[in-house]
């Protein structure tokens, strides 16, 4: 079984960030509280090509925290971890502290 995936063209491999279901004190949080569909970029492809054959680089880099759409992307399972594969233009933006 493969342990590493290198995306092709303008695709981005993302591991979704799962919000905690309870606080440090053990209080259970409702499912809807602070739910932000975000993820961490694990790997990026080299980029798409334009009509002249020039590479258009991907807008994200490994380690970026990104805002994901509610639907879309392809589910990929590598080993025990779940990932999602998105096209560059499907990702809504980057999140910064």
């Amino acid at each position: 079984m493969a342990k590493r995936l290198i995306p092709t063209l303008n695709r981005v491999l993302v591991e979704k960030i799962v919000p905690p279901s309870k606080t440090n004190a053990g209080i259970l949080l409702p499912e809807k509280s602070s739910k932000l569909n975000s993820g961490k970029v694990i790997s990026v492809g080299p980029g798409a090509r334009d009509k002249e054959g020039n590479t258009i680089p991907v807008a994200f880099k490994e380690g970026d925290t990104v805002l994901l759409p509610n639907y879309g992307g392809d589910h990929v399972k590598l080993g025990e971890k779940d990932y999602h594969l998105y096209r560059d233009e499907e990702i809504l933006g980057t999140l910064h502290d």
Side-chain angles (χ1 to χ4, degrees):
M1 171 162 261
K3 294 182 181 178
R4 186 167 183 224
L5 174 69
I6 299 172
T8 59
L9 298 175
N10 64 337
R11 290 179 176 83
V12 180
L13 185 67
V14 176
E15 181 177 14
K16 285 195 174 181
I17 297 172
V18 180
S21 60
K22 63 180 176 178
T23 65
N24 292 340
I27 299 171
L28 294 175
L29 298 172
E31 188 176 318
K32 294 282 183 182
S33 72
S34 70
K35 184 180 179 189
L36 186 61
N37 201 15
S38 61
K40 181 178 177 185
V41 175
I42 302 299
S43 183
V44 296
R49 300 223 179 242
D50 62 11
K51 292 181 182 179
E52 289 79 36
N54 301 320
T55 301
I56 303 168
V58 176
F60 309 100
K61 62 184 183 302
E62 292 180 17
D64 281 351
T65 302
V66 293
L67 182 62
L68 302 171
N70 288 330
Y71 302 101
D74 293 310
H75 181 262
V76 178
K77 187 164 185 154
L78 295 174
E80 296 296 318
K81 289 195 170 191
D82 291 326
Y83 299 98
H84 288 81
L85 199 57
Y86 293 94
R87 290 186 185 274
D88 182 14
E89 61 268 7
E90 291 178 327
I91 296 176
L92 303 175
T94 58
L95 298 171
H96 301 278
D97 289 333

